[in-house]
Amino acid sequence: MTEKHYRNCNLCEAICGIEITHENGKILKIEGDKLDPFSRGHICPKAVALQDIYEDKNRLKKPVKKTANGWQEISWEEAFDTIAEKILDIQNRFGRDSVAVYQGNPSVHNLGTMLNSRELLKSLKTKNNYSATSVDQLPHHFASWAMFGHQFLIPIPDIDHTDFFLILGGNPLASNGSLMTAPDIINRLDEIKKRGGKIILIDPRKTETVRVASEHFFIKPTTDAFLLLAIIHTLFAENLVDLGRLAEFTDGIEILQEISSEWTPEKSEKMNGISADEIRRITREFANAKSAVCYGRMGVSVQKFGGLCQWLINAINILTGNFDRQGGAMFPAPAFDLLQASKGGEIFNRWQSRVRKLPEFMSELPVAALAEEILTEGEGQIKALVTSCGNPVLSTPNGSQLDKVLQNIGFMVSIDFYINETTRHANIILPPVCNLESSHFDIIFNTFAVRNTAKYSEALFKNPEGTKHDWEIFQELVWRLERKNGEFKPEPPEVKLNLGLMFGKYQLSLEKLKSNPHGIDLGELQPSLPTRLFTKDKRINLAPEIFVKDLERLKNEENFTENSEFPFCLIGRRNLRDDNSWLHNSERLMKGKNRCTVLINPKDAESLNLENNQLVKISSRVGNVEIPCEITENIACGVISIPHGYGHSYAGVQLDTAKNYAGASINDLTDEMEIDELTGNAALNGVRVKISANLN
Ligand SMILES: Nc1nc2c(c(=O)[nH]1)N[C@H]1C(S)=C(S)[C@@H](COP(=O)(O)OP(=O)(O)OC[C@H]3O[C@@H](n4cnc5c(=O)[nH]c(N)nc54)[C@H](O)[C@@H]3O)O[C@H]1N2
Ligand SMILES: Nc1nc2c(c(=O)[nH]1)N[C@H]1C(S)=C(S)[C@@H](COP(=O)(O)OP(=O)(O)OC[C@H]3O[C@@H](n4cnc5c(=O)[nH]c(N)nc54)[C@H](O)[C@@H]3O)O[C@H]1N2
Ligand code: SF4
Ligand SMILES: [Mo]
């Protein structure tokens, strides 16, 4: 009998509702769930990958250990015994910090990992805690922490009501929105224009999002902070500052006014080519719009001034009164409130990385420092690594260096169902069940959503005998590491989830959610300040000293001279059919035109005498890649773009389809020494490179 199953797709941040038709354990089709109040039937081409992952022959179902004769399946018992023994021994001999942890992006898309991985960190008590956060949204957390008192109190653009949307370095038509959970984003953006509003896009590339934008401006990578300061300068100079009700609980306006006086639109124009007149016009339009919101994502976060950019973006929204107000930047009120469960307060620079002395933030160290911490001998050297849901060899700066150092690491465990470029180095891999075999409630992305909704998805398929969920793996690891006595009894995440829901704002329960399989609409975003602020005085700090000081670094940038050895500036890109490094094993998503190309402007191609599709060599301080070039007007002169997540040709990778579309890894060019020195976030955008047609 055919049956229907309803759930959230948890592959990306959009959390679309899907309807899966299945019969006797076979999936017949995956479609958008028209009754989902949030996504309204929308899905993207990636949703079908949920089936492909489920059916993938390369997907591991039993623990494996590396032997001289290749991978060998072992029992969970043996796997846990060996891991606990090894880790405890290494920590005994070399100290707590000798064991490191790296958690990748799908961790935040997985209910069990979200609710259980912290216990492992608590148990290991290691300072060597790393994650994809420091190649991603760290500056957003940093700005929220410094300005609003909590790293998770991140303002979200209220795109369903805004009249003016200024986007810097985000490509929602490819990414489906980020730190802006907004399924069906294309229609949501179109609606802005239908109600007479405007969308302005600032990006070194004419991206897919240009399709819905009213205007697009090329910008020279990493110069956005100049533009943002020029907007603030203009707001003050032209008397356009009006905080409205925010004035009562906002400090630092005068400081910002004084600072911004020297950052003129003319200075910005000199740095990035957007004319001073246009900056003034955009600022006026922004300030005079019925409502407006400025938003910046990967392009302004994962660059060397990521912290400054996120601060200034918040400041623009606040100064124009477009904050905590409909159509501006707002705070969601999720049914499960993550903020209650985690502390703000002193969470910066309590310790530093051993080798480069990079600051801790939110108990994490910047992943740009991981390889050197494994490589550099001495007290505190990392001797063992636990990875979960990640692939840092392809996703972190100078990935090939990390690849090399992992070859010699003392001991490595990976919690993952694939043998990828990173997990191939593990001594033992613990595979959890996959998405469709797990239940889901999105704790993280409801915290960053443009509308308040709640949905619980049951597992479609019961996990087969002898397999485990991520949460069971984490709990058993902790139980073993803490040498607990008695019988091990794992607790499903539903227990904590139910409690969180019941004590949450809407007093929901798991039962209530179960009886609403399409999800429950909890309404549009509502003003919540000053109550929701986590600062001690319940006030917004518009000009935290830590940011003001960092402007010195930006000043030095004015003297930046073009680098003649590496004349090009490299940025990343995303495609609708990719998902970081890990959906390339789905044939359906991969077929068609090769997406792993380097984009280059026709003028640059001409001066280098390049032809379309020609294989070129790109080099940076740290390495080289060979990649076909794609000549296009859509990229600014002097800038080139390569997508991340490719580079599957390493020996031993067990991804049969992905290997046929191996491509090159941009992170063999990105430089682990290039970071946002304020926050420690990697600067993956704006890497200096050269191009040569000669492959030798
Ligand atoms: N140059 C450049 N580099 C980038 C970026 C960029 O824009 N440019 N983007 C960065 C960003 S934003 C991110 S988030 C990172 C992503 O980087 P990572 O998080 O390190 O890598 P992913 O490709 O997301 O890794 C996914 C892995 O998780 C596994 N996995 C999937 N689901 C589950 C699950 O439920 N449980 C377990 N245990 N494992 C699972 C998959 O099998 C796969 O091996 O890449 C970063 N790297
Ligand atoms: N299809 C798909 N969807 C995804 C993912 C995926 O891999 N594929 N990954 C998910 C993840 S983990 C994340 S974090 C989000 C990211 O979501 P987004 O940030 O929306 O996605 P990106 O494509 O990385 O967009 C970054 C944009 O910044 C531009 N840019 C680069 N440098 C600069 C600069 O210096 N200044 C300015 N102004 N712009 C710059 C780039 O050209 C690019 O268009 O996407 C998520 N969704
Ligand atoms: S946009 Fe695509 S990948 Fe993202 S949640 Fe929706 S269907 Fe899944
Ligand atoms: Mo990300």
Side-chain angles (χ1 to χ4, degrees):
M1 197 183 67
T2 50
E3 286 173 89
K4 304 271 188 203
H5 168 79
Y6 299 96
R7 67 187 295 111
N8 280 127
C9 170
N10 60 343
L11 291 174
C12 89
E13 299 180 35
I15 57 173
C16 299
I18 53 174
E19 179 185 277
I20 304 183
T21 312
H22 60 105
E23 191 172 60
N24 303 329
K26 276 247 161 277
I27 295 167
L28 302 178
K29 58 182 174 191
I30 298 182
E31 296 168 297
D33 176 4
K34 293 188 188 66
L35 297 179
D36 183 296
F38 199 12
S39 60
R40 320 175 285 211
H42 167 87
I43 50 167
C44 88
K46 286 188 295 300
V48 297
L50 290 170
Q51 174 180 5
D52 299 347
I53 299 162
Y54 176 65
E55 293 172 357
D56 195 340
K57 292 194 177 58
N58 287 137
R59 185 161 64 84
L60 299 176
K61 311 225 166 82
K62 296 209 174 99
V64 289
K65 89 170 168 197
K66 192 181 279 150
T67 71
N69 303 317
W71 293 101
Q72 184 194 323
E73 277 187 5
I74 53 173
S75 68
W76 286 98
E77 196 63 22
E78 180 184 342
F80 284 124
D81 277 348
T82 316
I83 294 167
E85 191 189 314
K86 276 280 187 189
I87 287 182
L88 289 172
D89 174 58
I90 288 173
Q91 282 197 322
N92 270 338
R93 283 193 293 148
F94 304 105
R96 292 238 169 232
D97 300 335
S98 62
V99 176
V101 176
Y102 173 84
Q103 289 183 267
N105 169 273
S107 311
V108 288
H109 296 277
N110 181 310
L111 174 66
T113 308
M114 271 305 297
L115 291 177
N116 289 279
S117 63
R118 237 173 44 184
E119 309 304 320
L120 178 67
L121 289 167
K122 263 196 212 151
S123 171
L124 289 173
K125 288 197 188 73
T126 173
K127 294 191 170 108
N128 278 306
N129 174 24
Y130 302 85
S131 85
T133 290
S134 52
V135 281
D136 189 348
Q137 81 289 0
L138 177 57
H140 294 254
H141 295 301
F142 198 91
S144 287
W145 164 73
M147 300 176 79
F148 319 125
H150 200 293
Q151 62 278 17
F152 286 109
L153 194 61
I154 294 181
I156 305 303
D158 182 16
I159 57 168
D160 286 350
H161 299 100
T162 199
D163 300 285
F164 195 101
F165 192 22
L166 175 59
I167 308 177
L168 295 94
N171 185 9
L173 256 57
S175 67
N176 282 310
S178 182
L179 292 186
M180 171 175 65
T181 286
D184 195 11
I185 187 110
I186 183 160
N187 283 314
R188 293 187 130 95
L189 293 176
D190 261 337
E191 287 294 324
I192 298 178
K193 287 181 305 173
K194 282 192 192 142
R195 53 179 179 263
K198 207 171 202 186
I199 301 173
I200 296 191
L201 193 60
I202 314 276
D203 198 300
R205 178 164 83 92
K206 278 192 183 154
T207 62
E208 291 77 357
T209 303
V210 169
R211 236 175 82 198
V212 293
S214 324
E215 299 176 32
H216 167 266
F217 292 88
F218 280 125
I219 188 166
K220 193 165 150 206
T222 71
T223 63
D224 302 81
F226 290 91
L227 171 66
L228 295 164
L229 281 159
I231 292 176
I232 293 176
H233 173 99
T234 310
L235 287 173
F236 282 111
E238 301 195 3
N239 258 328
L240 296 168
V241 170
D242 179 5
L243 282 80
R245 55 182 268 278
L246 300 168
E248 281 167 41
F249 49 87
T250 300
D251 295 323
I253 305 169
E254 301 75 19
I255 303 176
L256 210 56
Q257 175 162 21
E258 199 190 313
I259 292 166
S260 67
S261 61
E262 65 175 289
W263 301 90
T264 59
E266 281 71 20
K267 191 182 272 189
S268 171
E269 175 176 344
K270 218 175 81 205
M271 293 307 295
N272 57 40
I274 301 178
S275 82
D277 285 349
E278 290 286 27
I279 297 174
R280 293 200 168 90
R281 176 188 57 91
I282 293 169
T283 309
R284 285 175 207 134
E285 286 184 11
F286 190 98
N288 293 326
K290 215 158 44 182
S291 68
V293 64
C294 179
Y295 157 87
R297 211 30 210 108
M298 285 295 288
V300 289
S301 197
V302 188
Q303 54 138 291
K304 65 179 165 188
F305 299 111
L308 282 180
C309 286
Q310 294 305 334
W311 163 47
L312 297 168
I313 286 170
N314 287 339
I316 289 171
N317 291 329
I318 294 167
L319 289 172
T320 54
N322 283 301
F323 197 77
D324 196 41
R325 166 179 107 170
Q326 200 167 68
M330 300 191 78
F331 296 112
F336 183 105
D337 192 1
L338 181 69
L339 277 70
Q340 299 305 340
S342 56
K343 282 195 295 252
E346 292 306 312
I347 53 162
F348 178 53
N349 208 8
R350 288 168 297 179
W351 63 85
Q352 296 79 31
S353 68
R354 181 177 58 105
V355 180
R356 222 190 306 170
K357 308 277 175 259
L358 299 182
E360 159 270 351
F361 182 61
M362 308 196 294
S363 304
E364 287 187 28
L365 288 170
V367 73
L370 176 58
E372 71 204 22
E373 292 295 329
I374 302 173
L375 195 61
T376 312
E377 285 177 16
E379 211 183 305
Q381 181 185 10
I382 296 174
K383 304 278 187 186
L385 175 66
V386 181
T387 75
S388 164
C389 300
N391 194 1
V393 166
L394 293 192
S395 54
T396 65
N398 200 354
S400 56
Q401 170 180 253
L402 182 63
D403 180 69
K404 283 188 201 91
V405 307
L406 290 182
Q407 287 165 21
N408 296 316
I409 194 162
F411 184 68
M412 178 167 156
V413 183
S414 291
I415 305 172
D416 204 306
F417 40 67
Y418 282 126
I419 302 182
N420 67 20
E421 297 69 22
T422 303
T423 61
R424 75 194 179 104
H425 293 298
N427 297 83
I428 294 182
I429 303 179
L430 302 173
V433 295
C434 72
N435 312 54
L436 297 182
E437 296 165 317
S438 311
S439 58
H440 189 61
F441 175 92
D442 220 300
I443 288 181
I444 278 280
F445 296 105
N446 281 305
T447 310
F448 304 140
V450 304
R451 192 174 177 89
N452 297 315
T453 62
K455 177 166 177 167
Y456 174 75
S457 319
E458 311 220 24
L460 166 56
F461 300 120
K462 200 181 158 341
N463 63 311
E465 190 66 32
T467 60
K468 288 189 194 293
H469 290 98
D470 286 89
W471 51 268
E472 286 174 287
I473 296 174
F474 275 103
Q475 288 179 29
E476 186 148 3
L477 277 176
V478 170
W479 194 79
R480 302 274 183 145
L481 288 170
E482 295 184 355
R483 295 184 188 284
K484 297 226 168 104
N485 294 321
E487 195 196 341
F488 167 65
K489 282 207 197 86
E491 180 192 85
E494 277 73 5
V495 178
K496 275 189 199 157
L497 174 62
N498 193 37
L499 280 174
L501 290 170
M502 289 195 319
F503 289 106
K505 185 179 160 98
Y506 312 93
Q507 294 170 359
L508 292 172
S509 66
L510 200 59
E511 276 316 303
K512 179 99 193 268
L513 290 186
K514 278 185 181 172
S515 53
N516 289 275
H518 304 284
I520 299 177
D521 186 28
L522 301 167
E524 54 201 28
L525 305 186
Q526 300 293 337
S528 61
L529 299 192
T531 322
R532 184 73 166 153
L533 290 170
F534 279 73
T535 43
K536 281 201 196 89
D537 52 6
K538 291 270 176 207
R539 298 178 68 80
I540 294 173
N541 187 354
L542 198 52
E545 207 185 319
I546 201 160
F547 287 124
V548 176
K549 278 197 187 142
D550 199 39
L551 287 171
E552 286 304 315
R553 226 163 33 95
L554 193 67
K555 277 189 193 146
N556 293 337
E557 192 72 3
E558 283 182 70
N559 308 321
F560 177 83
T561 42
E562 287 302 329
N563 182 327
S564 52
E565 189 189 354
F566 297 113
F568 286 91
C569 189
L570 172 68
I571 60 168
R573 81 176 181 272
R574 285 178 157 75
N575 181 287
L576 188 58
R577 302 168 83 86
D578 294 319
D579 193 7
N580 298 320
S581 79
W582 76 283
L583 292 187
H584 296 157
N585 222 32
S586 161
E587 184 67 45
R588 298 193 253 193
L589 292 181
M590 296 314 290
K591 61 183 183 214
K593 196 170 147 228
N594 176 18
R595 307 194 285 265
C596 189
T597 61
V598 56
L599 304 184
I600 180 163
N601 185 279
K603 285 206 190 85
D604 293 327
E606 199 188 326
S607 71
L608 290 165
N609 220 349
L610 302 180
E611 279 171 37
N612 216 13
N613 288 323
Q614 175 180 348
L615 210 55
V616 292
K617 181 163 136 187
I618 318 280
S619 317
S620 72
R621 182 190 77 87
V622 309
N624 312 297
V625 302
E626 284 176 18
I627 185 167
C629 66
E630 188 175 335
I631 302 172
T632 165
E633 297 275 0
N634 289 341
I635 188 101
C637 270
V639 181
I640 62 170
S641 163
I642 299 179
H644 75 285
Y646 284 88
H648 304 296
S649 52
Y650 282 110
V653 169
Q654 295 193 10
L655 297 163
D656 297 340
T657 304
K659 291 193 91 155
N660 296 333
Y661 303 90
S665 174
I666 183 179
N667 288 320
D668 290 349
L669 296 170
T670 55
D671 189 333
E672 83 282 13
M673 300 308 280
E674 293 287 326
I675 57 168
D676 172 13
E677 280 162 34
L678 174 63
T679 64
N681 206 37
L684 302 174
N685 290 305
V687 178
R688 308 306 307 186
V689 294
K690 68 177 169 196
I691 306 174
S692 61
N694 182 353
L695 298 184
N696 299 311

